[in-house]
Amino acid sequence: MSAPHEPFAGFDEVARGGAPRGVEPAGGAAAWARDLAFGARLAAGGGREGWIRTLLTAVGVGLGVALLLLAAAVPPMMTVRDHKRVARDSMSAGYLAKPTDSTLLVADAGTTFRGADITGELLRPEGAKAAAPPGVAHLPAPGHMVVSPALRRLLAAQPLLRERLPYTIDGPIGHAGLMGPAELYYYAGSDRLTARDANYEHGNADRIAGFGHHSNSAVMGPTFDLLLVVMLVVLLLPVAVFVATAVRLGGERRDRRLAALRLVGADNRMTRRIAAGEALFGSLLGLLVGGGLFFAGRQLATHVTIRGISAYPADMTPDAALAVIVAVAVPLAAVGVTMLSLRGTAIEPLGVVRQSVGRGRRVWWRLVIPAVGLLLAPLFGKVQGDGKLNMYQVATGAVLMLVGVTAVLPWVVEQVVRRLGGGPVAWQLATRRLQLNSNAAARLVSGVTVAVAGAIALQMLFAGVDDEFVFSTGADPARAQAVVSAEVDSGAQARDFTHRIAATKGVQHAYGYVDSAVTQPDAASVRDGDFAYLPVAVGDCATLGQMASLHGCAPGSVFLVPPADGAGDTQAARTYLRPGGRLDLNGPPREAYTGTPRLWTIPRDARTAQSRPDPSGSLGWGLFATPEALDTSRLTSETATVMVALDPHDPDAAEYVRNTAAKLGIGVDVLHVGTTTTKSGYAQLRRGLFAGAALTMALIGASLLVMMLEQLRDRKKLLAVLVAFGTRRGALAWSVLWQTAIPVVLGLVLACAGGLALGAALLGMVGRPFHPDWGAMAGMAAIGAGVVFAVTLLSLPPLWRLMRADGLRTE
C-alpha cells in the first residue's frame, strides 16, 4: 500500500478540482493550526540558510522585546524607588516638644561634589529605642557613619571629598535604604545636634519619632502629564515599528519558497498562513531572546548609570500585565504584519509577481491616518491649569500622527525614485534597485523616521512649556558663584565666618554681611503680635553695594532701602524707615513679643538708596548699615551670609569652599549661583527622557544592522554575479550607500514635517504659540542620519565578503 500524500502533495486531487486529502476547508481553525505549524517547521528545519534567517529575525525581534520589557519594568521600578524614598524620609510629621526614649534628632548634611549630589543626614538618638533608617542595622555613633557603596568608592578615590566627610566608616547602607546602586548617601552620628523650638529657632536639628512619616510628592499638573504621555509614545513607538519590521526579514527568499509550495499544490491562502507560521516561530523565538537579553542585561543594571538614574536588578521586575501584553502582542503582530505584507503579492507556482514593477501605491488612505490623529484638536487650549488630561486620547492621537509618517514614507520613496535615472554605475544600480523594490528601503528607515519625528515634536513641547517648570533666578554668576550662609550667635562669629571663607583656596572675593530683623518701636505693647517686620543688613560698603545702588558710602553710613516693585512691606517701610525714626532691635517678630525692647534711632543723615538684585538674584530692602553705625551684638537671630566670587582657573574652587563650610559647623548652607532653577519632577522627567532616548537609539542602531545584514544576504548571489561580470567592488559599495542615503534623506524630510505638525498640535493643546527650534530640529535629524550611516558603514565588511566568488554557489 502506498503512503498517503503529504498535505501539499495532492497534485492529482487539485487537478480534479477537489481539495487534497486531509486538507480542511480554507479558513478553518484546524487549517490555520496546520499551516502555522508547517510554517514553523519550515523556519526551524530549513537548513543553514533557514536557521540564519530565523536567528536574524529572532535577534531583531528580541532587541525590541528586551526594550519593551524594560519599559514594562519602569513603572514598578519607579514605585519601588518612591516607596524607598518615603520610607527613609526624615521630615517630621509635626513639632515634637519633648524627647522620649524613641525620638532622635536629625539634620540635613547633603552636599555636592563636582556636580554630583550627595545626600547625607546627621543623627543623634535621644533614647535607647530610637529607630534606625531603612538599610541601617544600628545608628552610627558620634564621629562615625554608614555610607552607600558608591559613596564609599568615591571617598576612597577623592581625598578632597574625604576631607569634607572625615567620619569613620562603620559599614554600608543596605539595598532597602537606597534607590539605586549609584546613589551617593550617608548617615553620620553627631553629638552636636540640638533641637529647634516651636518657632524653629535656637537649634540646628529636628526632633523626629522615626522615619517614613511624610511624603512630599508634588502635583505637577496636566502639562506634566502631557509631557509624560508623549515621551512614552515617542520612545516606545519606534520599538514597535522595529519589531514589526524585524518579522519581515528575508521576505524575498520566503516568497521564493512559497512559490515552490504553490508548485506542489498549496493555494494562496495556504501560503500566507505558512508564511505567518514562519513569522510566528521567529517572533516566539524572539520573545525568548528578548527575555534572555532583558534578564541578562538586568544583572548588569548595577553597573549602569544614566543621568544619575540607576536601579538594583531586583527592583526591575516587569509589570505582570504589561509583560503579558508584550508576550501576546508580539506574536499577533508578527502574524498580522506578515498577512498584510502578502496582500499585494501574487505568489504563483513559477515565481513571485512582486519582482516586477506594478501599479503605484495609493496615497489617500495613508493621509487618512494622520488626519484621524487630529483627535488632539478638541484638546486645543484645554491642557492648562488644574484640568484633567485624557491620556488615552492624547496617546491615540500622537500614535496615529507618527504612524501616519511611516505610512506616507513608502509612497514618497516610490514617487521620488521612479523619477531618478542616469548617472554613474553606482547611482544607476542603487536607483534601479529602489525602483524595483522600495519596500525594504522604506522599512529600513521607518523606525528612524518615527523616532526623529517624535523627538522634534517632544522638543517643541518641552521648549514651549519650559517656563512652567524652569524659573529664572535673576542671578548674576559673573559677580559671585556661590553663597554661604549660617545662623550665628554674634557679630564676632559672623566676622570669623567671613574671614575663613575669604581665606579659602580658590576664593577671589568674599562679600560678607549679617542679616537680621527689627520691628516697630512700640512692638512690646502690641498684644496680638501683628507688628511690622523690617529686615536689616550690616556689612561693609563693598558688600552693601552688591545689594543696593549706594552713593557716598563710608564707614558709619546708613541707608534706607524701600521695597522694589512691592517685594516687601511698603507700608512698614514708609512708616518706620525714615531719618530720625526709632526701631526696636529686639526682633524678629514672634506670635507674642518676648524679651526687653532695644530701641535704636536711625541717624538723621541716613540716605535713601535703591535696591538692586544681589549676585544670587534676591532683591533686598530695609535698613542697610555699616558695622560702625550699628553694633551687630544688639541684634537677635543673626544670619551670616557670604557671597563668594571664585577663581575661574581653579575647577575645584567650589569644593574648597564646601570643605571650609563643613568645618564651620552644622547647618552651614552652600548655594550654587545659577541663572535658573528647575522643579525636581520636571528635571527627573528630562533625565528619564535622556536615558530612554539613549536606549532607543541603541536599539535603532542594533536593529538596523541586523536588517541591513539580512538584506545583503538576500542579494548575495546578485552581488557575486555582478562582480563576476566585472563590476567594480567600489561601485557596489557606493550603490549600497546610495540605496541607504536616498530613503534616509526622504525619511528625514518627512520626519521634520510630521514632527512639526505633531509639535504644533501639542503646543496648541497647552495654549502656546507655534515656535520651532530649527537648530534643534537639524541636530535631531543629523543624529538620525548619523545612526543610519554608521550602521551602513558597519555593513561594508560583510558586503565585501558577500561579493566573493563562492556567492555563486547554490543548493
Side-chain angles (χ1 to χ4, degrees), residues 62-63 65-66 69 285-299:
L63 290 170
V65 168
L69 289 176
L285 193 59
L287 281 176
L288 296 177
V289 172
L293 289 175
F294 170 76
F295 286 105
R298 192 177 74 157
Q299 299 306 311

Side-chain angles (χ1 to χ4, degrees), residues 81-90 133-134 176 210-214:
R81 287 172 63 90
D82 192 60
H83 288 167
K84 288 182 176 181
R85 178 188 61 81
V86 173
R88 73 186 186 189
D89 193 278
S90 61
F211 295 86
H213 295 295
H214 185 82

Side-chain angles (χ1 to χ4, degrees), residues 344-368:
T345 305
I347 299 175
E348 300 296 340
L350 297 179
V352 182
V353 174
R354 191 181 59 187
Q355 296 294 337
S356 62
V357 179
R359 60 182 177 84
R361 293 180 172 86
R362 294 191 179 100
V363 71
W364 66 267
W365 67 267
R366 302 174 190 273
L367 297 177
V368 168

Side-chain angles (χ1 to χ4, degrees), residues 483-533:
V483 175
V484 186
S485 62
E487 295 181 3
V488 293
D489 298 326
S490 64
Q493 186 181 2
R495 286 191 295 272
D496 178 67
F497 183 89
T498 302
H499 291 157
R500 293 179 66 176
I501 294 294
T504 301
K505 180 182 178 181
V507 174
Q508 287 187 331
H509 302 286
Y511 305 99
Y513 66 96
V514 173
D515 184 22
S516 186
V518 298
T519 186
Q520 63 195 66
D522 59 345
S525 61
V526 178
R527 296 185 181 275
D528 59 1
D530 187 18
F531 31 66
Y533 170 90

Side-chain angles (χ1 to χ4, degrees), residues 364-378 393 396-401 404:
W364 66 267
W365 67 267
R366 302 174 190 273
L367 297 177
V368 168
I369 297 176
V372 175
L374 290 178
L375 288 169
L376 302 175
Q393 184 177 356
T396 302
V399 167
L400 288 174
M401 292 191 73

